[in-house]
Amino acid sequence: MKSTGQKTEEIDQIQEEEVVTADVQLNPENMDIDEKKSQIYSPSNRLKHAGYIKYVSLVILTIQNAALGLSMRYARTREVVMFSPAAAVLMAEFVKLLICIVLVIKELGNLKKGIWSMYTTVILNIKDTLRVSVPSFLYVVQNNLLYVSASNLDAATYQVTYQLKLLTTAFFAVIVLKRKLQRWQWCALGLLAGGVALVQLSSGAKESKKTPNIQEQSKVIGFSAALAACFISGFAGIYFEKVLKESDISVWMRNVQLSLLSLPFATITYLIKDSMKDLLVVGTLLVIGSIFLYGYVPKKKEPRTSLSV
């Protein structure tokens, strides 16, 4: 049997807990920090937050894809001095590299950790970095092909045709990653291919508009460039996804590797395209190369003796 003093203590304790609970409900600021965090980061709140981010990202991606096609078409047909597509690709890779470096530094917390992490991951682990050279090269080729396509197709036709990258990505996902698609997914891809074909047939009946910068536009060249870009995009995307899954390196660090390796390819592409405008430059390079080649004397192999190892 509990004594009267023990019962009194229990009643006082219960009343104290009720007062604390009521105070927390009326004044949330008095809640413990850990309790606040547990409510904020509860599974239900995290799911709501993830769903919100998913839909916002989808809207932003849709706007970005639509704006990209329209802006590329406008940039290639306006009545001004035309820029070099290869130079635009080079600058895009440079800006992307800077953005990814900033994001890596922000992800790791400070500048010193970010620089050291990039040095150890990109420079010291050079073999792993070279794995990304394949999609780096392919993305440079793809971006240059997109400018060719945008120069020869109207904005709507270009935008619809480039959606074939969904078909090529699914194709390489089945082959490389061994994914299995459902029946309705195959039907959707078939409808996509049929829709693109109808768009091409309808655009072929329209007359191409001539501008001072582009005197003659070729639907065949535009569609071929877009189709090649779709296949390159599909393979490069699946290859890059495979590289991401096989390591624990963050996406931003992988993009630093990707952009860093893309810069030499984009620079070479720009120099080749720019030099082709001047026959003088190409001829000079050929003459210099022929001189070095003519003066080259291969080393004679030393005769092997019984004492040589």
Side-chain angles (χ1 to χ4, degrees):
M1 299 272 311
K2 293 182 180 180
S3 63
T4 307
Q6 290 177 341
K7 290 182 178 179
T8 305
E9 289 179 0
E10 290 180 358
I11 293 173
D12 292 340
Q13 186 177 0
I14 293 172
Q15 290 177 348
E16 184 179 355
E17 291 178 355
E18 291 177 352
V19 170
V20 172
T21 304
D23 183 63
V24 169
Q25 292 175 350
L26 295 175
N27 302 300
E29 63 274 5
N30 294 333
M31 292 173 60
D32 187 70
I33 296 177
D34 293 334
E35 188 175 353
K36 288 182 179 180
K37 288 183 178 180
S38 64
Q39 290 186 6
I40 294 174
Y41 297 105
S42 62
S44 60
N45 288 336
R46 280 184 294 181
L47 288 175
K48 291 180 181 178
H49 185 65
Y52 173 77
I53 293 178
K54 180 177 69 174
Y55 288 114
V56 171
S57 302
L58 180 61
V59 172
I60 294 175
L61 183 62
T62 303
I63 296 174
Q64 185 264 337
N65 282 332
L68 178 63
L70 294 173
S71 59
M72 287 182 67
R73 177 61 182 176
Y74 171 74
R76 298 306 296 166
T77 56
R78 55 185 182 157
E79 298 179 3
V80 294
V81 178
M82 191 53 57
F83 63 92
S84 170
V89 173
L90 176 60
M91 289 305 300
E93 293 298 332
F94 180 72
V95 172
K96 186 170 71 174
L97 176 62
L98 293 180
I99 294 174
C100 292
I101 289 175
V102 172
L103 291 174
V104 167
I105 294 174
K106 183 179 179 182
E107 184 180 43
L108 295 176
N110 58 62
L111 180 63
K112 186 176 180 181
K113 287 183 179 179
I115 294 177
W116 177 250
S117 178
M118 285 185 284
Y119 174 73
T120 55
T121 305
V122 179
I123 305 300
L124 296 183
N125 195 8
I126 190 65
K127 290 184 178 180
D128 182 72
T129 302
L130 291 177
R131 295 178 62 194
V132 194
S133 61
V134 175
S136 300
F137 171 73
L138 293 177
Y139 281 136
V140 170
V141 176
Q142 170 200 335
N143 292 331
N144 280 279
L145 287 173
L146 290 180
Y147 275 103
V148 176
S149 178
S151 301
N152 289 276
L153 297 176
D154 59 89
T157 305
Y158 161 78
Q159 193 74 7
V160 174
T161 304
Y162 189 50
Q163 299 311 309
L164 279 175
K165 65 182 179 181
L166 299 176
L167 178 61
T168 58
T169 301
F171 172 76
F172 287 112
V174 172
I175 294 179
V176 178
L177 300 181
K178 307 300 181 183
R179 287 181 182 169
K180 293 183 179 180
L181 301 182
Q182 302 297 329
R183 292 181 179 178
W184 63 83
Q185 291 177 312
W186 286 113
C187 292
L189 294 176
L191 292 174
L192 173 65
V196 172
L198 291 176
V199 169
Q200 289 298 320
L201 291 175
S202 64
S203 64
K206 300 178 182 179
E207 294 183 0
S208 60
K209 180 182 177 182
K210 294 183 179 180
T211 65
N213 291 317
I214 305 176
Q215 295 297 328
E216 187 176 355
Q217 301 179 29
S218 173
K219 299 290 184 182
V220 176
I221 293 177
F223 177 74
S224 300
L227 187 61
C230 289
F231 273 96
I232 292 174
S233 174
F235 178 75
I238 293 300
Y239 183 95
F240 190 57
E241 182 182 347
K242 189 172 185 293
V243 171
L244 286 174
K245 289 182 176 180
E246 291 177 351
S247 65
D248 56 353
I249 300 176
S250 68
V251 177
W252 301 122
M253 187 66 74
R254 282 296 186 191
N255 276 279
V256 169
Q257 296 174 323
L258 193 68
S259 300
L260 194 63
L261 292 175
S262 296
L263 284 177
F265 296 128
T267 303
I268 293 172
T269 305
Y270 168 72
L271 292 176
I272 292 175
K273 285 192 172 183
D274 189 65
S275 63
M276 292 302 291
K277 297 178 181 178
D278 195 344
L279 298 173
L280 178 60
V281 176
V282 177
T284 303
L285 292 176
L286 291 176
V287 170
I288 294 174
S290 65
I291 293 174
F292 279 100
L293 182 62
Y294 184 81
Y296 172 72
V297 178
K299 292 183 179 181
K300 295 182 179 179
K301 294 184 179 180
E302 296 182 358
R304 296 178 60 87
T305 61
S306 59
L307 297 178
S308 62
V309 181

